Amino acid sequence: MNLNSEVLKKIVQKVADTRPDEIGCGDCFEQLDRFAELVLSGKPVRDAMPLVQDHLKRCKDCREEFEVLLSLLMSMN
Amino acid sequence: MLQLHEKRDKSMNQRTNQQWLSDLRGPQQDQALTDLRAVLGRGLYFALVNRVPANKLEALVDDFAQDALLKILDNLETFRGESRFTTWAQKIAVRVAFTELRRQRWKDISLQDLLPQDAQGDFTPAILADPDQDPEGQVVKNAMIAITQRLIMEELTDRQRQAMLAIIVGGMPMEEVARRMNTNRNALYKLMHDARQRLKSSLAAEGLTPEEVLASFGEG
């Protein structure tokens, strides 16, 4: 199988972003409710729960669920 | 009627985490289940209203609320009290709903379908696609392409390569790739992380960084 340069570039971009201490979807999910409430509290979250934030940047599935959770919580509060 | 709803909502919101847990486990269970289902239903309605056809919305909200309720009851002991109980419960409901929506959306697509035709096959000589690139740069780029290609084929396992192409190139949700590979999302993330780390160390063994490879591709 040969892969074209666009595909290779996408893969290498992901490799470049890799860090050794990434958490998985399970760890992220466990902390997601806490992180959502932290965001909702309006306090600065730039440095809070950095591994959760890092995972949300990388994982489209978790990010989508987090964004939905956040917006529905905002709508209900 | 509206006043009744408001009164009811107020009473739901007034339960403490401990009250939710004790009510869901005790003689107040029926009322607590009814209240929790209403909370989940309102959240799911908001989450799905712009994502599913209007004629299916109500049924899907009911189904997902019921499935989420069962999952919540099965997992009550894992609630650590680090958020409001209802936030934790909504998190589970969103996971239940989006897992099923993704399954429905991708149900007819196999992993093999995902690789675009032009992702495979012989390389188009990049110099034709990028006439402005100097010949020396082109030689470097071709060498980097060859190395990267070789490392992906030789250093990754078949499963790592298959998952990487499905997710990065095909855009399939992790959940769906995991389902097709008979694993779960968390294990798949770990597999992908191992694959990325493996490629990074393999590039290092070749004396290269990912950034150098990207620079040769025309991206710093």
Side-chain angles (χ1 to χ4, degrees):
Chain A
M1 182 196 294
N2 282 336
L3 301 170
N4 69 34
S5 61
E6 282 308 305
V7 169
L8 294 173
K9 190 194 282 187
K10 280 187 185 176
I11 292 172
V12 177
Q13 281 166 340
K14 298 287 184 190
V15 171
D17 289 341
T18 298
R19 51 189 273 184
D21 60 350
E22 291 173 29
I23 59 170
C25 301
D27 283 341
C28 180
F29 184 71
E30 271 185 25
Q31 303 175 68
L32 206 60
D33 45 334
R34 191 173 137 220
F35 184 60
E37 289 194 348
L38 198 62
V39 173
L40 283 176
S41 73
K43 293 176 191 163
V45 294
R46 201 169 63 102
D47 300 325
M49 304 176 75
L51 294 181
V52 172
Q53 293 202 48
D54 177 71
H55 183 85
L56 292 175
K57 281 181 197 153
R58 296 169 187 279
C59 179
K60 200 165 67 172
D61 289 22
C62 289
R63 187 168 61 248
E64 181 179 41
E65 290 168 20
F66 173 69
E67 287 169 355
V68 169
L69 177 65
L70 199 59
S71 57
L72 81 80
L73 291 173
M74 287 169 80
S75 79
M76 294 177 77
N77 283 339
Chain B
M1 189 67 174
L2 185 62
Q3 281 178 334
L4 185 66
H5 277 302
E6 285 172 353
K7 195 173 173 187
R8 184 64 162 282
D9 285 351
K10 202 176 172 190
S11 78
M12 284 187 230
N13 287 333
Q14 281 174 346
R15 269 197 185 91
T16 63
N17 286 352
Q18 199 50 51
Q19 282 169 332
W20 272 114
L21 292 175
S22 57
D23 286 357
L24 285 168
R25 287 170 170 145
Q28 302 297 319
Q29 188 184 49
D30 284 351
Q31 185 59 53
L33 285 174
T34 301
D35 291 347
L36 185 54
R37 186 197 295 267
V39 171
L40 299 180
R42 282 196 298 140
L44 285 166
Y45 182 90
F46 178 86
L48 302 182
V49 67
N50 292 320
R51 289 183 166 87
V52 302
N55 62 344
K56 293 183 177 173
L57 178 60
E58 198 173 330
L60 285 173
V61 166
D62 284 348
D63 287 351
F64 293 153
Q66 179 62 23
D67 291 349
L69 211 51
L70 294 174
K71 196 160 189 174
I72 288 163
L73 290 177
D74 281 347
N75 289 281
L76 277 184
E77 74 285 355
T78 68
F79 175 59
R80 299 190 297 200
E82 294 177 345
S83 69
R84 288 168 61 183
F85 178 79
T86 48
T87 302
W88 177 80
Q90 295 283 20
K91 171 183 80 169
I92 291 173
V94 169
R95 169 64 64 93
V96 165
F98 277 73
T99 297
E100 179 57 20
L101 290 181
R102 289 178 188 127
R103 192 189 68 75
Q104 289 177 12
R105 194 171 301 142
W106 291 83
K107 66 182 160 68
D108 297 326
I109 300 172
S110 74
L111 292 178
Q112 306 307 323
D113 296 334
L114 286 176
L115 207 54
Q117 290 302 311
D118 61 1
Q120 299 185 69
D122 295 336
F123 296 127
T124 301
I127 196 151
L128 297 179
D130 189 3
D132 294 336
Q133 186 153 22
D134 65 279
E136 192 181 339
Q138 191 58 54
V139 170
V140 173
K141 179 175 179 176
N142 286 344
M144 295 292 188
I145 287 174
I147 291 170
T148 310
Q149 164 83 22
R150 176 171 56 77
L151 295 179
I152 289 170
M153 299 312 292
E154 292 179 0
E155 298 294 329
L156 300 186
T157 66
D158 288 345
R159 279 174 73 78
Q160 286 175 327
R161 197 163 40 248
Q162 188 177 36
M164 188 167 268
L165 292 175
I167 295 164
I168 297 178
V169 183
M172 183 179 268
M174 297 271 289
E175 191 85 43
E176 286 305 296
V177 177
R179 187 194 311 280
R180 284 158 180 74
M181 293 178 70
N182 297 315
T183 183
N184 61 55
R185 186 158 133 193
N186 194 52
L188 182 64
Y189 190 90
K190 174 82 168 54
L191 181 101
M192 290 282 287
H193 185 232
D194 289 347
R196 288 186 276 113
Q197 294 215 103
R198 178 78 181 159
L199 285 177
K200 200 169 195 172
S201 60
S202 301
L203 282 173
E206 301 278 342
L208 293 169
T209 66
E211 290 76 16
E212 286 171 317
V213 177
L214 287 173
S216 77
F217 284 178
E219 187 165 321

